Amino acid sequence: MKLTLVQGDITEQAVDAIVNAANSSLLGGGGVDGAIHRKGGPEILAECQALRASRYGDGLPAGEAVATTAGRLPARWVIHTVGPVFSRSEDRSHLLASCYRESLKVADALGAATVAFPAVSTGVYRWPMDDAARISVTTVLRSESNVREARFVLFDFAAYEIFDRVLREIG
Ligand code: ADP
């Protein structure tokens, strides 16, 4: 698998699947979630509501992932994953790693060859960027997925620089 980094907006990525840093309600929120629903249109929300009604009555648990259509976005699918809220008193890094592993499993099931990831949990969920970068990059590099390109899409240059440094250290 090729791991690439870009600075930009995940809603503009022409890949097979983009990953959404959703919340467990699957009914939309701020940050990357808000941008995906705003630009992707109501079809994505309708599928999320159907998933709540059928499989996830209590919400999608942290660390899990599920796919919907991508509506009007250039991607074909959106893979919704729920990152853990950062905690200083409890190590939740296994849940953050699980977001990437489970998203790649869903991508494999869809037959997606190119997948774009945001930095899950680093916004409203407050995960420190360098620690998140280390967990995300390590997990994706270790995965045995059939995905050809995993692209990290970092919204601002500071985040891009951190991922770039971590990738040089680990990759
Ligand atoms: P979480 O609740 O998992 O922390 P957020 O959406 O609040 O999710 O933030 C996750 C990361 O996504 C943050 O680093 C934020 O800067 C970034 N982000 C926000 N909007 C976009 C976007 N349109 N494309 C890519 N990344 C984005």
Side-chain angles (χ1 to χ4, degrees):
M1 188 198 300
K2 187 172 67 161
L3 203 160
T4 56
L5 301 182
V6 299
Q7 186 195 343
D9 183 338
I10 202 160
T11 63
E12 292 171 4
Q13 305 299 310
V15 286
D16 292 330
I18 64 169
V19 174
N20 180 17
N23 60 54
S24 95
S25 80
L26 290 177
L27 302 179
V32 75
D33 197 10
I36 286 172
H37 283 286
R38 222 169 20 250
K39 289 205 190 162
E43 208 184 330
I44 303 174
L45 185 60
E47 273 192 48
C48 285
Q49 285 165 335
L51 283 166
R52 274 300 298 269
S54 59
R55 286 163 60 189
Y56 298 108
D58 294 329
L60 182 68
E64 296 191 20
V66 67
T68 65
T69 174
R72 295 195 289 259
L73 296 173
R76 292 173 68 188
W77 298 288
V78 176
I79 299 172
H80 306 264
T81 191
V82 179
V85 175
F86 180 74
S87 163
R88 294 212 176 272
S89 54
E90 186 191 4
D91 182 8
R92 299 178 179 161
S93 47
H94 63 289
L95 289 173
L96 185 55
S98 176
C99 288
Y100 290 91
R101 252 192 326 269
E102 294 301 313
S103 294
L104 287 168
K105 271 193 212 162
V106 171
D108 281 340
L110 293 166
T114 51
V115 179
F117 288 97
V120 176
S121 289
T122 63
V124 175
Y125 288 175
R126 301 187 316 273
W127 208 292
M129 192 61 78
D130 54 346
D131 196 46
R134 219 168 295 283
I135 294 164
S136 315
V137 167
T138 310
T139 306
V140 170
L141 284 175
R142 280 191 193 146
S143 96
E144 283 167 14
S145 155
N146 292 317
V147 166
R148 257 194 302 109
E149 180 191 354
R151 184 184 304 173
F152 282 98
V153 182
L154 292 321
F155 206 40
D156 53 61
F157 187 63
Y160 174 87
E161 277 194 316
I162 291 169
F163 268 72
D164 187 48
R165 177 169 47 74
V166 166
L167 188 56
R168 284 168 206 275
E169 284 167 12
I170 296 174

